[in-house]
Amino acid sequence: MFEFVQWIDYCYGQDYIERQFAEELLPTEKLAVDSKKIREQASLLEEKEAEIEELRSQIAAMAEQYTAAKEQHIQQRHFAVAAETEFETRKRYIDIDLQEMGWRLIGVDADVQQEYLVEGMAGVAGQKGYVDYVLFGKDGLPLAVVEASATAAVRRICGVWLVPDAAATSSMGTAMVSVTTLPTQTAMASATTAPEAAGAAGGTATASGAD
């Protein structure tokens, strides 16, 4: 035992001092054992163990009860997600997330334009339409287009399209390349991690999203 304790001290002690075992230093007086107190403590431990077992039994019974109730409620009840319009989706999720990532939606220095007029909508030459968001780089050229959907209507909240370098013109409808769509619970749409990270050319952006 002495060697084991010395090894612990050697490995982990703050002020280790090498010592030798000296049997004469062992205490010789006998300690009185309080048998009554030991029995009392043992009895208390047994009571606590019994209480714990009783609580475990109650928890198991409640778990079985609630599980059965859950299955019954699933069959009897109906839960419907509140319908959101495309406008509500944009204001509640996309606007906020774009701003949190550093995009500016309002002001003289805004680098995001909403309801942006484009030509060549749906691949039809000369057909005009509007896209929900256009994200612009520091050079004033469009980096990406973001389209939102009503979350309750479809299982997608928005699509992100990159604008290739050679087609970064005002006629963006013919320049859009579909890159990705984000799930309904993904409340973020961006062309770069931050507008400051965008390159000088429009096609250098990357689409990203987070849950």
Side-chain angles (χ1 to χ4, degrees):
M1 178 62 71
F2 174 82
E3 297 294 338
F4 173 72
V5 173
Q6 187 177 27
W7 178 80
I8 295 293
D9 186 29
Y10 170 79
C11 294
Y12 306 105
Q14 296 294 329
D15 301 308
Y16 170 73
I17 299 176
E18 186 175 358
R19 297 178 175 86
Q20 300 297 325
F21 178 73
E23 184 175 357
E24 63 274 10
L25 297 179
L26 293 176
T28 57
E29 65 274 12
K30 294 183 178 180
L31 298 177
V33 177
D34 192 338
S35 301
K36 180 180 179 181
K37 187 174 182 179
I38 293 176
R39 287 194 298 270
E40 290 176 351
Q41 292 176 343
S43 178
L44 289 175
L45 289 175
E46 291 177 358
E47 291 178 5
K48 292 298 180 182
E49 290 177 358
E51 291 178 6
I52 292 172
E53 288 301 322
E54 177 63 25
L55 290 173
R56 286 176 177 169
S57 300
Q58 293 179 16
I59 291 172
M62 292 174 65
E64 184 177 351
Q65 175 185 349
Y66 285 122
T67 299
K70 174 186 174 182
E71 296 300 326
Q72 183 179 4
H73 294 160
I74 291 175
Q75 300 297 326
Q76 296 177 347
R77 299 175 181 178
H78 176 69
F79 176 79
V81 178
E84 287 185 349
T85 65
E86 179 183 318
F87 178 80
E88 291 172 331
T89 296
R90 290 169 55 181
K91 296 307 173 185
R92 290 182 179 179
Y93 306 112
I94 303 177
D95 282 14
I96 294 174
D97 290 313
L98 285 173
Q99 293 178 55
E100 286 182 349
M101 298 186 73
W103 294 98
R104 297 177 294 276
L105 277 67
I106 58 176
V108 295
D109 59 345
D111 48 16
V112 177
Q113 292 192 28
Q114 303 181 52
E115 297 298 330
Y116 192 85
L117 178 64
V118 296
E119 295 181 358
M121 200 72 173
V124 179
Q127 179 172 311
K128 295 184 178 181
Y130 295 88
V131 294
D132 294 332
Y133 303 86
V134 177
L135 280 58
F136 291 88
K138 292 183 291 185
D139 57 1
L141 295 178
L143 287 172
V145 173
V146 178
E147 277 292 309
S149 297
T151 56
V154 294
R155 292 189 59 80
R156 297 186 183 278
I157 191 171
C158 65
V160 179
W161 289 263
L162 300 188
V163 181
D165 292 348
T169 67
S170 58
S171 299
M172 293 176 53
T174 59
M176 293 187 294
V177 178
S178 180
V179 174
T180 185
T181 49
L182 308 181
T184 300
Q185 294 184 353
T186 302
M188 173 161 50
S190 67
T192 60
T193 54
E196 291 74 10
T204 58
T206 58
S208 65
D211 290 338

